[in-house]
Structure formats: structure tokens, C-alpha cells
Amino acid sequence: MPMTDLLYARAQMGLSLAFHIIFAAAGVALPVLMVLSDWKGRRTGDADYQKLSQKLAKGTAILFAVGAVSGTVLSFELGLLWPEFMGQYGEVIGLPFSLEGVAFFTEAIFLGIYLYGRERVSPGMHLFSGVMVAVSGAASAFFVTLVNTFMNHPSGFTPSASGPMDVQPLVAMFSPGWQYQTAHVLLSCYQASAFAMAGIHAFVLLRYPGAAFHRKALSVALPLACVTALLQPVVGDLSAKHVAKAQPVKLAAMEGQFETERGAPLRLGGLPNVETGEVPYAVDIPKGLSILAFADPDAEVKGLNAFPRDEWPPVAKVHVAFQVMVGTGSAMALLALVTLGWRWRKKAWPHGRKLMWAWLLSGPLGVVAMEAGWLVTEWGRQPWILRGVMRTADAVTPVPHLAAPFWTFTAVYLFLGVTVVLLLVRQVAGTLPTRDSGLPGGEAHVH
């Protein structure tokens, strides 16, 4: 397929979002882990937890800085790449964007106090500033997700040939399904970050089983990882039920359902073929989709053929991304159950090599699931930028030669990504035990 300017615009927006989501998720979740470590350190007097909160604070600062850059780029891209959308509907959905800006600046202010006020403000104020960083980060993600909910299910205005009429900003901000999508997104942020943190410390513990610092760090990450991994399927199910009613064509693409039928099966795996209307290599669970989507084994599920062909999303991409999200989410939920079972029986968090390997291998799964879920949402809405109101092709800028900014930003993101990885590796390396002491390098006196 030749790369048109529309495809370059979509690719650039997709690349920017895929890059930004990782840092935004860490910006939401790391402050929670930071505050938990800080609180445990204050409660127990254990220097390891205090040291962990300082390391997490530095990591939060690094990711916050890069996330601020990528977020600023995204705000410019919305206007520059999609001027028709922002020009016509910016006033409708401007409120959550404004509130997201307030949350962002609040987060920046309290992060500064937390980073530089440890010895300069009272302990209570210092811990409170950490809590505010966590609350502000979550609020920022909440407001941005409301914008995406509006794009999936626009409300709060009356469409007309001259643009939106009778604008109601609060109705638009809380478009149908907002509670499911925001909960799904926030949980994914905590889950992805906690799994990544657990994977890092499991890796170190496999090499240095006696490293007390990393064992304590794992004990901070595992509760959040396990709880979110078990809550996410519940919230995801509620979200899917809403999609089944509000966006049936997206559900049909997610499941590779071509024909409308009662007692529709749930398909595991497979690759939909839009020419034949079949999903080869899939394993069908009879009536599974009707039960999950409508809580009725004989419920009717609309197939893709019930909708105009030019309103289909890219079926194979949506289906595969959905399968990846569900598969990785299920694997994380299973690991959480096994880990909590160990915790219940042994009265301690696991430390055996088999479970450490499982957590190491599962470390990236939260990020994979989060990115796959975002692809399901965005690809599943196509060909609309504002579902049912404005097509993506009608919103793109008429400015030509969009290949140049796409490749430029690709290079910038690669540079930023490598830089961040190197900085975070240095942060972790500073906590590795020395050969002789088995304690964090250069900090043996602390422990």
C-alpha cells in the first residue's frame, strides 16, 4: 500500500501516542509506588524503603520530563495534523483538555516539592506532596481519556452542516461509556508499571537471591501488580459489554464476526479474511460471545456484513490486537492468582526461582497489553476520527509532504527512548549488590 499523506499523518500520530503512553502510564503509577515505599520507610524505619522511594522519585522525574515533551508534541500534532477536527470540535471537547493542563501543572509543582523538599519541608508535607503527585498524574490520565471517549461516542452537541450546534461541554466531557474506559485505562497504567517494576527486581533477585533491597522493592510492586491484574478482566468485561451495545461494528471486528447470528461463538486466535468472511485457525467456543457480550447464550450479535463495507475498521489488525490484549491480560491474571495463593499459604511474598522467572518474563506484558488495547480502541474506531460524525480522511491537514515530519519525529523518539533506557538502567545499576557485601553497591553503610 503506497504511503499517502493521510497514512503518514496517522502513522505519526500513532507513533507519538505509542511512545507517549508508556511515559504517561509510568507517570501515573510510579508516584503511587514511590509513596508506598516512602510510607513503609516512615512506618518501619527501614532505610531500604526510603532509598527505594528516592530511586522511584528520580525515575518519576526522568519519565515525567520525557512525558512532558512527548505530550507537548501530541498537543501540537492534534492541531497541525487534524485541523478540521480541532477547528470544528475543539470548543466541544476543550474542557477536559483544559483540566488536564491544570492537573499536569499541579503534578509538576508537587513533584518539585517532593524531589527537593525531603530535608526542607516537614515529613508530613513531604509525604502529602508525593500523594498529590500520584493524584494529579491519575487526574491527568483521566481527563485525556475522557477526550478519547468523546471521539468513540460523541455527545453534547447537535451536528449540522456548519459544525456543532447547541454545545454542552459537560455532556461532551462525560460521553457514554466514560466510566468503563477511564477505569480500564487507569488500571492499565498501574498494572503495566507494577509488572515492569516486578520484572526488573525479579531479574536482579535471580542473580542476587540475597539482595534485601530488591526483595523489599518486589514486595512493594507485587500487591499493586496482583490487584490490578485481577481487577482488569472485570473492568475489561464491563467495557466490552458497553462496546457491544454502543459500537457493534468494533465488537464484530474484535471478534472476527462477519455474519449476524444468535448464539455467536467466542473466537480464540485466528486471522480474519475479509474476502472470504472466514477466520481460519481460530478455535470457536460455542455461544461464548453472546454470553460474554449480552449475558444471554442466544443473544444476537451483529456481524460486519450488517454494516456498509466502507465503515469497517481494519478487521485483521483489530482482531489480532484484541487477542494479544486478552491473552497477555489472562496470563498476568493467572500469575497474580498463583502469587497471591503463595502469599496466602506462606505468609510471605514468593522468592523461589520458578516464580521469579515467571515475573521476569511477565515484566513486559503489562506494556504489551496496554499498547494492544490502545490499538484496538483507535483502529476499531476507523474510518472515523469522530465516530459517525467526521471521517479521519476529512480531518487531515491539506499540507503535503508529511513524510518529512514523520521520519524526523521517529528519529527524535528513538533518541529519547534510548536516552531514557540508559538513564533508568543507571538508576537500577546503582542498587545492585556488590560481590562481597551482597548489599546495594556503594551504599553498604545504609543497610
Side-chain angles (χ1 to χ4, degrees), residues 120 251 382 413 446:
R120 297 178 176 84
L251 178 77
Q382 298 306 313
Y413 288 140
V446 176

Side-chain angles (χ1 to χ4, degrees), residues 191-209:
Q191 185 178 2
S193 301
F195 266 78
M197 179 174 165
I200 291 170
H201 294 292
F203 170 75
V204 177
L205 286 170
L206 282 168
R207 294 193 62 187
Y208 306 97

Side-chain angles (χ1 to χ4, degrees), residues 369-383:
M370 185 174 61
E371 295 280 7
W374 167 71
L375 289 173
V376 171
T377 298
E378 296 304 300
W379 280 338
R381 193 183 59 245
Q382 298 306 313

